[in-house]
Amino acid sequence: MGMEMDQLYSDIILEHNQNQENKKELSDFTLSEHGHNPSCGDDITLQVKLEDGIVKDAAYTGHGCAISQASADMMIDVIKGKTVAEAMRLTGLFLDMIKRDVTDEDELEELEDAIALKNISNMPARVKCAVLAWHTLKEALEKENK
Ligand SMILES: [Zn+2]
């Protein structure tokens, strides 16, 4: 991983942190889950609208550091329009990327912009920030599947 790639990844994180297109309240949703990362103070509420087993819409509200907010924003771009099973698989892929169980960039391309958080494992203090939204989604979807 060269400096240019690191810079590109930083730009993507910054962009999501500034735009936060998915940071809003949904008027219509079927799942709502709260996630909290006490080590940093990140706090998000995720809303998901499932219809016929598909993530029709999703959004988040809350506050926290740039990494936690950017990660939530990226995640929603990834899961929108996917089936619940695909969303669960992609969440697993993201968590595997963070744990470095999956490092192949071709395989990680499915994570779209969230691949920019690949190197967060170099900063252990930020890992919980990066995974907050994804753990929150996983909890919400697992409850749905019970
Ligand atoms: Zn944080």
Side-chain angles (χ1 to χ4, degrees):
M1 187 66 53
M3 290 248 297
E4 272 176 37
M5 210 57 190
D6 283 347
Q7 184 57 49
L8 173 67
Y9 283 168
S10 309
D11 289 348
I12 295 171
I13 294 167
L14 190 67
E15 196 185 297
H16 276 274
N17 193 54
Q18 284 172 342
N19 294 338
Q20 302 186 349
E21 283 177 19
N22 298 316
K23 187 172 187 175
K24 59 192 174 196
E25 299 242 9
L26 294 182
S27 54
D28 184 19
F29 56 89
T30 56
L31 298 176
S32 176
E33 189 72 36
H34 178 243
H36 183 56
N37 169 23
S39 67
C40 178
D42 306 317
D43 199 286
I44 68 159
T45 298
L46 183 68
Q47 295 177 330
V48 180
K49 184 188 180 186
L50 294 181
E51 203 179 286
D52 301 327
I54 290 172
V55 179
K56 279 279 178 190
D57 206 359
Y60 72 101
T61 53
H63 56 86
C65 67
I67 298 287
S68 69
Q69 300 282 296
S71 186
D73 203 64
M74 291 164 168
M75 179 189 78
I76 289 170
D77 284 345
V78 172
I79 62 160
K80 249 198 238 181
K82 302 288 197 305
T83 64
V84 170
E86 281 175 318
M88 286 291 273
R89 185 181 63 79
L90 291 164
T91 299
L93 181 61
F94 179 84
L95 297 173
D96 283 348
M97 175 183 80
I98 299 296
K99 284 184 284 181
R100 297 195 176 217
D101 287 344
V102 179
T103 54
D104 182 69
E105 301 240 344
D106 288 336
E107 207 175 323
L108 296 175
E109 247 174 38
E110 280 189 292
L111 294 173
E112 300 174 28
D113 284 357
I115 199 174
L117 293 166
K118 190 170 185 265
N119 296 326
I120 209 78
S121 39
N122 295 331
M123 296 182 273
R126 309 316 317 234
V127 165
K128 283 181 182 166
C129 307
V131 300
L132 176 65
W134 301 78
H135 275 305
T136 307
L137 173 69
K138 199 170 167 226
E139 267 182 40
L141 294 179
E142 278 171 356
K143 277 183 196 165
E144 177 69 13
N145 277 343
K146 262 174 200 164

